[in-house]
Amino acid sequence: ADKTRLQGFVIRPPAFDPDKKYPLKFLIHGGPQGAFGDGWSYRWNAELFAANGYVVAMINFRGSTGYGQTVVDGVNGDWGGKPFSDLMEGLDAAEREFPFIDKNRECALGASYGGYMANWVLGHTDRFKCIVTHDGMFNPESAYGSTEEMWFNEWEFLGHPWDYYGKPDAENPYRKWAPMLSAKNFKTPTLVVHGQLDYRLDVSEGFQIFDTLQRLKVPSKMLYFPDEGHWVLKPQNSRLWWKTVNDWVDQWTKPGSGK
């Protein structure tokens, strides 16, 4: 919106036919001081996401590394602000540029900060048919008190939670950017994933959003790993993760599916 130039990737599925319409997986990276690049891993592998008939889009939004310190610092104190608009405008641009994207069959997926953003998306747009949120922050105040990385929250939210007590929510980053405070808007079917041994974002963050979705009667499921931390690292767990995530996206975006 402010003319900052940002970059992203679009990955096509195998046996791609430009005359067909494809559902889309919209991946949101973690960090937030990270970036999608020309790399490979069996975790959050764009080609594997595309392999069962999807286009994949990935935007390096405000906060991403590789574009200078001003872009990196653009997320600081503004977690649900410019990064969210960057993502939505980036997806708009991809839809305009690539007519093979079926904009009526899109799913948003993210982990860590990407999980936070998936939670934020859940309360701020209904454009997606489904959401996958992995190890995401739901309540920044409770996350502050349960993380092993307190300095990070103090940096990203410009102080301690108690620095803002007594001030309006609009002046308190811990509440201004809290996905939980938009729960009344939750409608999109959501898969929640979290690990018991996650000390970066305690498993209670996953339980909080899952319980909220269940009480609101939003279609939802939770994949809980008792033996994983902030990343799913064990091969058998990874296979379960991929099957569960892909099945969830298929359920809501394949032909004949719908809310």
Side-chain angles (χ1 to χ4, degrees):
D2 62 1
K3 309 303 181 185
T4 298
R5 284 184 64 83
L6 300 170
Q7 171 264 355
F9 296 90
V10 168
I11 291 87
R12 296 161 178 79
F16 172 72
D17 181 346
D19 295 324
K20 290 184 178 179
K21 290 278 192 180
Y22 291 89
L24 179 130
K25 292 172 178 170
F26 188 55
L27 306 188
I28 307 171
H29 72 66
Q33 293 84 0
F36 287 118
D38 185 11
W40 190 94
S41 169
Y42 67 78
R43 294 185 299 109
W44 291 84
N45 183 304
E47 284 75 13
L48 195 51
F49 276 120
N52 62 331
Y54 287 82
V55 171
V56 174
M58 310 182 296
I59 304 297
N60 282 324
F61 50 84
R62 215 73 55 98
S64 299
T65 54
Y67 303 91
Q69 197 63 40
T70 300
V71 171
V72 172
D73 291 342
V75 68
N76 187 234
D78 194 32
W79 267 37
K82 290 187 290 294
F84 174 71
S85 62
D86 291 345
L87 287 162
M88 296 302 101
E89 290 167 18
L91 181 53
D92 290 343
E95 291 171 352
R96 290 192 301 269
E97 179 71 18
F98 304 108
F100 50 80
I101 293 174
D102 186 344
K103 63 182 180 181
N104 296 312
R105 293 190 294 148
E106 298 177 335
C107 184
L109 309 90
S112 194
Y113 174 83
Y116 161 86
M117 182 53 72
N119 297 342
W120 186 259
V121 163
L122 179 59
H124 291 84
T125 178
D126 295 330
R127 74 186 292 172
F128 297 102
K129 287 294 186 183
C130 65
I131 288 173
V132 177
T133 173
H134 180 154
D135 291 352
M137 184 186 293
F138 184 59
N139 177 355
E141 289 181 322
S142 64
Y144 176 84
S146 56
T147 184
E148 102 286 29
E149 201 178 51
M150 296 172 72
W151 67 269
F152 175 81
N153 297 43
E154 292 166 359
W155 170 260
E156 292 297 330
F157 294 99
L158 309 179
H160 313 91
W162 54 85
D163 294 334
Y164 300 102
Y165 289 168
K167 295 183 179 180
D169 287 355
E171 299 176 14
N172 178 354
Y174 285 90
R175 296 183 68 78
K176 181 178 182 179
W177 306 123
M180 66 173 293
L181 296 183
S182 299
K184 66 180 182 180
N185 300 326
F186 291 0
K187 298 176 183 175
T188 306
T190 298
L191 171 66
V192 180
V193 185
H194 222 108
Q196 180 66 48
L197 306 181
D198 187 349
Y199 305 120
R200 186 69 42 84
L201 283 156
D202 187 74
V203 69
S204 59
E205 295 296 306
F207 290 145
Q208 286 183 67
I209 187 169
F210 180 65
D211 287 350
T212 299
L213 290 161
Q214 289 281 294
R215 297 301 268 177
L216 290 170
K217 295 183 170 47
V218 175
S220 48
K221 181 185 291 186
M222 184 169 186
L223 176 59
Y224 165 79
F225 289 103
D227 56 345
E228 296 285 6
H230 197 56
W231 302 271
V232 175
L233 299 177
K234 297 180 179 179
Q236 292 289 16
N237 287 342
S238 181
R239 290 185 65 187
L240 174 61
W241 187 95
W242 279 103
K243 176 170 174 47
T244 305
V245 169
N246 280 336
D247 285 353
W248 181 258
V249 181
D250 286 350
Q251 179 180 342
W252 299 102
T253 64
K254 287 295 187 180
S257 64
K259 295 183 183 179

